Amino acid sequence: MMKATLPILLAFFATLDVAVPQSAIPFCDIPPLELVLKLSILSERMYDIDSIDSEHVPDFVDRTELFKEVVDNGGSSETLVGTFRMVDVDGDEREHIFFALRGSDENADWSANRDFGLSKMVSPGGSPVLGQSSPVRVHAGFSKAAFQVYDDIDLAVHRIINSTTTIDDLAHKDGKPVIYGTGHSKGGGEAQIISAYMAHLYPDLSVQMVNFGGPQVGNEAFKQWAERLDNLSTFRFVNKNDLVPRLPPFYAKCGHLIPSSCPDL
């Protein structure tokens, strides 16, 4: 479990190797350090946040909503949706919309981790969200947990967008609001599935997923489908000695891998 402090996070970035992407990364798309630090703190704090009034909600966070759903395997999925203000690359301060998912923190959550058979992405009602004929397959346990909270995340994100006066008030790319998904370990895996589906469902959004120590989540068809989405970017920050990001070994590597030698993450 990641219980990092800011000095540890800074140590992590100091030990970053040269980025080893799965494919070429346009320089302008690499998330800035301040953004990655904020998302890593959110991923860490998710283990302790039990209400929007929790002292563990970072001070830099503005509007927030917290959702907790019980998954049918006995585990739970907790998500914080909100905004934080940050100066963009053009020098203007804007609101950045995020959703952060908690990693494994309860005994029951390990049932989801062990449920690593490949399955279709399905809604809580059991309907394949990409259709019956899609070859896309993902980690069954992560998919169940992710889609248990997907509708809550979707509605909360659009409440923020619809309550914003102009697009220029939000972080945006090519005229599209940017949504940042994040999480650590299991939460990172769920964030990757949710981010891909949100980008697929809403071509008018730009979705950037940044996770930490997240495992691989799908088959080759998932990789090809996700990497074809031109409004999705995926960055997986990992400890290069950590086994989890290499599991399950028969899954496809999807997104840009950013390795580090920092032992604390």
Side-chain angles (χ1 to χ4, degrees), residues 167-244:
I167 181 66
D168 205 49
D169 293 331
L170 296 173
H172 58 272
K173 179 183 178 184
D174 301 327
K176 303 174 181 179
V178 180
I179 313 301
Y180 298 94
T182 194
H184 172 252
S185 193
K186 169 180 171 284
E190 293 173 22
Q192 188 167 359
I193 292 172
I194 289 171
S195 296
Y197 183 62
M198 183 176 286
H200 162 78
L201 205 58
Y202 298 107
D204 58 339
L205 296 180
S206 180
V207 184
Q208 186 166 96
M209 198 289 304
V210 178
N211 70 20
F212 305 89
Q216 296 167 171
V217 299
N219 64 357
E220 182 65 26
F222 172 82
K223 168 187 169 68
Q224 293 180 11
W225 167 73
E227 293 185 350
R228 280 198 301 266
L229 295 168
D230 59 11
N231 61 331
L232 172 70
S233 58
T234 299
F235 294 89
R236 300 173 58 221
F237 287 81
V238 303
N239 179 329
K240 65 182 181 180
N241 297 315
D242 184 7
L243 184 62
V244 170

Side-chain angles (χ1 to χ4, degrees), residues 34-48:
E34 182 183 358
L35 174 67
V36 178
L37 284 172
K38 287 183 185 298
L39 295 178
S40 65
I41 292 169
L42 282 164
S43 296
E44 170 211 347
R45 296 287 184 88
M46 284 306 298
Y47 287 103
D48 298 308

Side-chain angles (χ1 to χ4, degrees), residues 98-156:
F98 72 86
F99 61 88
L101 291 105
R102 175 179 58 75
S104 301
D105 200 34
E106 302 173 356
N107 290 336
D109 291 335
W110 293 98
S111 297
N113 294 337
R114 290 190 296 268
D115 188 8
F116 56 76
L118 287 165
S119 73
K120 295 180 180 179
M121 297 165 61
V122 297
S123 69
S127 302
V129 298
L130 297 181
Q132 288 286 357
S133 61
S134 172
V136 170
R137 299 290 185 274
V138 292
H139 186 292
F142 295 167
S143 180
K144 288 176 185 175
F147 283 98
Q148 201 72 34
V149 293
Y150 178 81
D151 287 344
D152 292 330
I153 294 172
D154 189 318
L155 290 170

